[in-house]
């Protein structure tokens, strides 16, 4: 009998061998580096909070909670309040969610419920994803030269006939809330559509078969079975889309008109926290920068809460369909 | 033999039974079918309408920007006030430089962090927390990355700079790189890793020789999507890199970028600047879409 092959650690025709001590050291060092990189994400997030927070401390001391409920932003008198900006941020994002959300969910249904062949669906999906790839500033430019001129006659008509209704109480003189919200809706549509498609795809195929087997029409199946089953995923899509809308900056800074007022009218200029930062920061002096840091902190808090809420719902959806991992 | 009379009876009974069955085929004008048809039409309309903005943007870019694109626009310096001609060569260089800095920070850091999240310590507390934070950071408003870079880099170095702009963009790229690279590395089949471990590989050797090469297409897709996103960002550059009318000569000075040029020129009352803004948008969108499409081609599952 030949000697047992496994006793020879480096035989001619095998590459297997126990690691040398040098390889073991390299392994330990590399694993250490990987751990550091992973922890760096945590450190970086903490750093982000700390840096913005530290810069905002003087303004927080000086203005306190009055900052959030104040309505004037006057550098010369050093009075700062961001209530109009908070209102504008929430109002524009809400309008964008209303439009972008309904279109996004409709597209998710369109892509997942056999309206078109899978090949065409893939192409259409790419088109929707390309909407997300176009830079915000290009949407801003497009909004100025396409959306505002397009909306102006509509706003004049609505204001003339329905001017008593608070949402149409002004017409569109130039930039304003409506073009900003419309462009914002286009920008969040891909987010809502992508997460909703994901939610619809998670529904087991047998659920749909069971519905059709009961003799439902396509839309009875969608409305009474598919949508309720995917509801938590779609809710996550809407919340995360809302989060996107809250933080969107450039297109809004170019389209919303940067005017500190609280107005229900769709066609009046308004302002958002992000576009306040974008338009005031580059030219701000010491005192105003501190106030702007406070505003940044408020924006950070709002988006953080909305995003964590959306992620929690999404997590819940995944667990519901895949069991706890 | 079956009696003739009973056969006749059976036929009659059968006919009655058939008549009693409700009509199961689709009735076009039944209210359920009408409702279904109406909603289908609406969905088609919504889907087609949603594609309109993309084509409108592309049309405007090609018509307005295409007319202005020439060698001068791609290489010359931005014009001032009433000046005619000019271009945005320095902005193209600035954008490439800052995206390069951002990638140099975010790509290695992101991929190595993803290695920890997907393989080395997938279920440790550090991994759970940083994965969650990476997801939260994908929703970070881009302007806040700019505020952070301003507070951390601009105030520290005492000057607006390409480095500060790069840090802000890197902050935005990092979560995308981490999460997509993690996904890509999780897709590597366990049996390939097991085979490598069976040969006596250390964990690092398994990662470098098996997991990274196998997951490379997916990782590259994520990196390129992040790069495309960063190239189009403008909010984080507003008060980190600022803008400059000249070619970049050193790292610690205000630096031009395409997106800020578009933002500045869009608000100017001069036709020359506005047409340059369209041309710059065309270049920017062209760059971003090309990277996006390449990323998709690389990442496509091989069938």
């Amino acid at each position: 009998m030949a000697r047992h092959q496994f006793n020879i650690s480096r035989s001619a025709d095998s590459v297997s061998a126990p690691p040398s001590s040098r390889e073991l050291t390299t392994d330990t060092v590399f694993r250490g580096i990987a751990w550091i990189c992973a922890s760096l994400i945590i450190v970086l997030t903490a750093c982000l909070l700390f840096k913005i927070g530290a810069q905002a401390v003087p303004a927080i001391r000086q203005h306190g909670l009055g900052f959030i409920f104040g309505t004037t932003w006057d550098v010369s008198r050093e009075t700062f309040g961001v209530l109009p900006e908070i209102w504008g941020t929430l109002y524009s994002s809400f309008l964008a969610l209303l439009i972008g959300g309904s279109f996004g969910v409709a597209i998710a249904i369109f892509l997942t419920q056999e309206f078109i062949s899978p090949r065409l669906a893939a192409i259409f999906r790419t088109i929707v994803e390309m909407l997300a790839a176009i830079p915000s500033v290009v949407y801003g430019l497009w909004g100025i030269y396409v959306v505002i001129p397009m909306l102006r006659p509509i706003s004049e008509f609505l204001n003339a006939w329905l001017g008593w209704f608070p949402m149409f109480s002004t017409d569109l003189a130039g930039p304003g809330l409506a073009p900003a919200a419309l462009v914002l809706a286009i920008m969040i549509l891909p987010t809502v559509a992508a997460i909703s498609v994901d939610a619809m795809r998670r529904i087991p195929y047998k659920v749909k078969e069971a519905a059709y087997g009961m003799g439902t029409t396509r839309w009875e199946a969608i409305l009474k079975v598919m949508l309720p089953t995917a509801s938590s995923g779609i809710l996550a899509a809407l919340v995360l889309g809302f989060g996107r809308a809250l933080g969107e900056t450039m297109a809004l800074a170019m389209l919303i008109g940067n005017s500190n007022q609280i107005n229900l009218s769709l066609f009046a200029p308004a302002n958002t926290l992000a576009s306040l930062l974008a338009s005031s920061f580059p030219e701000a002096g010491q005192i105003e920068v501190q106030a702007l840091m406070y505003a940044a902190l408020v924006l950070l808090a709002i988006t953080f809460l909305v995003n964590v809420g959306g992620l929690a719902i999404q997590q819940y959806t995944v667990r519901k369909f895949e069991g706890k991992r | 033999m079956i009696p003739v009379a009973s056969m006749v009876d059976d036929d009659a009974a059968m006919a009655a039974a058939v008549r009693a069955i409700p009509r199961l085929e689709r009735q076009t004008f039944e209210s359920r079918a009408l409702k279904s048809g109406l909603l289908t039409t609406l969905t088609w309309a919504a889907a087609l309408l949603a594609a309109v903005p993309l084509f409108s943007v592309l049309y405007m870019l090609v018509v307005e920007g295409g007319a202005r694109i020439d060698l001068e626009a791609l290489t010359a310096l931005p014009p001032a006030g009433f000046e005619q001609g000019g271009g945005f060569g320095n902005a193209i260089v600035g954008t490439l430089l800052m995206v390069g800095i951002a990638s140099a920070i975010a790509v290695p850091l992101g991929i190595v962090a993803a290695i920890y999240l997907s393989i080395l310590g997938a279920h440790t507390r550090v991994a759970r927390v940083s994965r969650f934070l990476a997801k939260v950071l994908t929703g970070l408003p881009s302007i806040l990355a700019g505020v952070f870079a301003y507070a951390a880099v601009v105030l520290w170095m005492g000057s607006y700079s390409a480095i500060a702009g790069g840090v802000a963009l890197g902050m935005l790229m990092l979560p995308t790189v981490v999460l997509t690279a993690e996904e890509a590395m999780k897709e590597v089949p366990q049996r390939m890793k097991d085979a490598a471990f069976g040969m006596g590989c250390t964990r690092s050797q398994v990662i470098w020789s098996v997991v990274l090469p196998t997951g490379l297409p997916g990782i590259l897709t994520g990196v390129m999507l992040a790069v495309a996103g960063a190239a189009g960002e403008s909010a984080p550059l507003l008060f980190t890199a600022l803008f400059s009318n000249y070619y970049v000569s050193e790292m610690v000075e205000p630096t031009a970028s395409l997106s800020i040029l578009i933002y500045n020129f869009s608000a100017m009352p001069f036709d020359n600047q506005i047409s340059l803004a369209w041309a710059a948008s065309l270049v920017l969108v062209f760059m971003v879409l090309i990277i996006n499409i390449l990323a998709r081609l690389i990442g496509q599952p091989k069938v």
Side-chain angles (χ1 to χ4, degrees):
Chain A
M1 281 288 269
R3 276 182 57 193
H4 201 282
Q5 283 293 314
F6 294 130
N7 288 342
I8 306 160
S9 61
R10 283 186 191 277
S11 75
D13 45 324
S14 171
V15 290
S16 62
S20 67
S21 68
R22 198 169 136 227
E23 284 168 336
L24 283 175
T25 321
T26 321
D27 181 52
T28 315
V29 171
F30 178 73
R31 280 190 285 135
I33 294 173
W35 182 84
I36 291 171
C37 285
S39 323
L40 259 179
I41 298 175
I42 303 173
V43 175
L44 219 70
T45 316
C47 212
L48 177 94
L49 281 175
F50 175 75
K51 277 287 179 189
I52 298 179
Q55 294 288 324
V57 163
I60 297 175
R61 282 229 186 87
Q62 200 186 337
H63 307 293
L65 275 181
F67 185 77
I68 292 168
F69 301 107
T71 53
T72 47
W73 186 277
D74 191 335
V75 183
S76 54
R77 283 189 292 140
E78 287 184 18
T79 28
F80 300 106
V82 288
L83 193 62
E85 280 78 13
I86 295 177
W87 161 256
T89 306
L90 295 177
Y91 194 30
S92 62
S93 302
F94 177 72
L95 289 173
L97 188 65
L98 218 58
I99 308 168
S102 36
F103 272 84
V105 174
I107 284 169
I109 293 171
F110 184 71
L111 288 178
T112 53
Q113 304 301 315
E114 284 106 32
F115 280 82
I116 45 178
S117 69
R119 271 189 91 87
L120 279 177
I123 294 172
F124 191 81
R125 209 179 160 171
T126 314
I127 291 178
V128 173
E129 280 168 5
M130 287 299 151
L131 274 178
I134 291 186
S136 172
V137 70
V138 175
Y139 274 122
L141 190 67
W142 177 73
I144 293 176
Y145 292 100
V146 177
V147 177
I148 292 181
M150 186 191 83
L151 284 179
R152 197 171 283 152
I154 301 174
S155 81
E156 277 160 12
F157 173 82
L158 284 173
N159 183 36
W161 289 91
L162 296 164
W164 50 269
F165 192 63
M167 285 171 97
F168 306 125
S169 58
T170 59
D171 65 356
L172 192 68
L177 192 64
L182 198 60
V183 170
L184 203 51
I186 297 168
M187 298 177 78
I188 64 167
L189 190 150
T191 309
V192 177
I195 305 174
S196 302
V197 164
D198 210 44
M200 302 284 275
R201 289 237 170 101
R202 278 182 196 283
I203 303 174
Y205 199 74
K206 60 185 177 187
V207 172
K208 193 196 285 183
E209 280 177 339
Y212 281 142
M214 302 288 282
T216 62
T217 64
R218 176 199 264 168
W219 276 94
E220 281 166 349
I222 292 172
L223 292 176
K224 292 179 183 160
V225 178
M226 306 304 281
L227 283 183
T229 315
S231 59
S232 59
I234 290 171
L235 184 63
L238 293 176
V239 174
L240 290 173
F242 189 66
R244 272 295 130 80
L246 290 174
E248 189 39 61
T249 314
M250 295 313 281
L252 286 183
M254 293 162 87
L255 292 172
I256 205 163
N258 297 326
S259 147
N260 278 23
Q261 53 168 329
I262 300 180
N263 197 333
L264 262 177
S265 171
L266 292 178
F267 304 115
N271 207 352
T272 71
L273 285 168
S275 59
L276 172 78
L277 286 168
S279 55
S280 307
F281 214 116
E283 284 121 37
Q286 179 76 34
I287 306 281
E288 197 183 3
V289 163
Q290 288 168 357
L292 286 169
M293 287 289 181
Y294 194 176
L297 205 60
V298 174
L299 177 61
L300 187 63
I302 297 177
T303 47
F304 182 79
L305 285 180
V306 171
N307 277 323
V308 169
L311 285 175
I313 301 170
Q314 199 176 26
Q315 210 88 343
Y316 164 78
T317 315
V318 173
R319 290 215 178 123
K320 192 168 87 178
F321 287 108
E322 291 185 352
K324 199 171 179 225
R325 275 202 284 190
Chain B
M1 283 293 283
I2 305 158
V4 175
S6 90
M7 255 176 89
V8 172
D9 270 5
D10 273 2
D11 275 359
M14 186 67 94
V18 166
R19 256 179 272 120
I21 296 174
R23 294 177 64 186
L24 286 176
E25 70 266 34
R26 184 187 165 93
Q27 306 292 307
T28 316
F29 295 104
E30 196 190 0
S31 73
R32 296 166 66 200
L34 276 180
K35 187 177 157 201
S36 199
L38 179 72
L39 285 171
T40 301
T41 319
L42 279 178
T43 310
W44 268 97
L48 295 181
L49 202 60
V52 168
L54 181 71
F55 292 106
S56 171
V57 169
L58 293 180
Y59 171 80
M60 289 298 282
L61 287 175
V62 170
V63 170
E64 298 274 338
R68 191 68 167 75
I69 288 269
D70 50 24
L71 195 63
E72 192 196 358
L74 292 176
T75 53
L77 292 173
F82 287 100
E83 225 180 300
Q84 285 305 307
F88 41 80
N90 60 338
I92 297 179
V93 174
T95 292
L96 293 178
L97 173 70
M98 284 189 279
V99 172
I101 295 175
S103 312
I105 300 170
V107 172
L109 181 63
I111 293 179
V112 179
I115 289 174
Y116 188 83
L117 296 192
S118 61
I119 298 163
L120 291 175
H123 303 293
T124 58
R125 183 177 293 167
V126 173
R128 276 207 307 271
V129 174
S130 54
R131 189 180 297 126
F132 177 76
L133 288 179
K135 281 184 188 164
V136 174
L137 283 181
T138 49
L140 179 78
S142 57
I143 188 129
L144 291 182
V147 173
F148 167 68
Y150 174 85
V153 184
V154 175
L155 290 183
W156 172 59
M157 295 209 306
S159 162
Y160 299 104
S161 64
I163 296 176
V167 168
L169 293 183
M171 184 87 193
L172 290 173
M173 283 176 66
L174 185 63
T176 316
V177 175
V178 170
L179 294 175
T180 49
E182 189 202 351
E183 251 350 277
M185 284 190 262
K186 267 197 209 151
E187 304 272 297
V188 175
Q190 185 63 38
R191 60 195 151 83
M192 292 176 74
K193 287 181 258 178
D194 285 348
F197 280 126
M199 306 289 280
C201 283
T202 61
R203 276 178 276 188
S204 313
Q205 286 170 327
V206 173
I207 289 161
W208 284 103
S209 327
V210 177
V211 176
L212 280 180
T214 319
L216 194 64
I219 298 173
L220 269 183
T221 303
V223 167
M224 291 175 79
L225 288 179
V227 165
E233 279 295 350
S234 35
L237 301 178
L238 267 175
F239 37 84
T240 52
L242 223 60
F243 191 74
S244 148
N245 279 323
Y246 304 100
Y247 275 99
V248 61
S249 56
E250 52 177 321
M251 287 294 183
V252 192
E253 64 173 11
T255 309
S257 56
L258 280 173
S259 46
I260 301 294
L261 178 125
I262 298 167
Y263 176 61
N264 289 345
F265 279 8
S266 71
M268 285 191 180
F270 310 113
D271 284 343
N272 183 33
Q273 268 80 346
I274 288 168
S275 71
L276 271 181
W278 281 109
S281 301
L282 179 63
V283 173
L284 187 60
V285 168
F286 185 73
M287 270 166 44
V288 169
L289 288 189
I290 289 288
I291 304 175
N292 249 294
I293 291 166
L294 280 182
R296 262 157 239 277
L297 290 181
I298 292 173
Q300 239 165 31
K302 309 217 169 20
V303 186

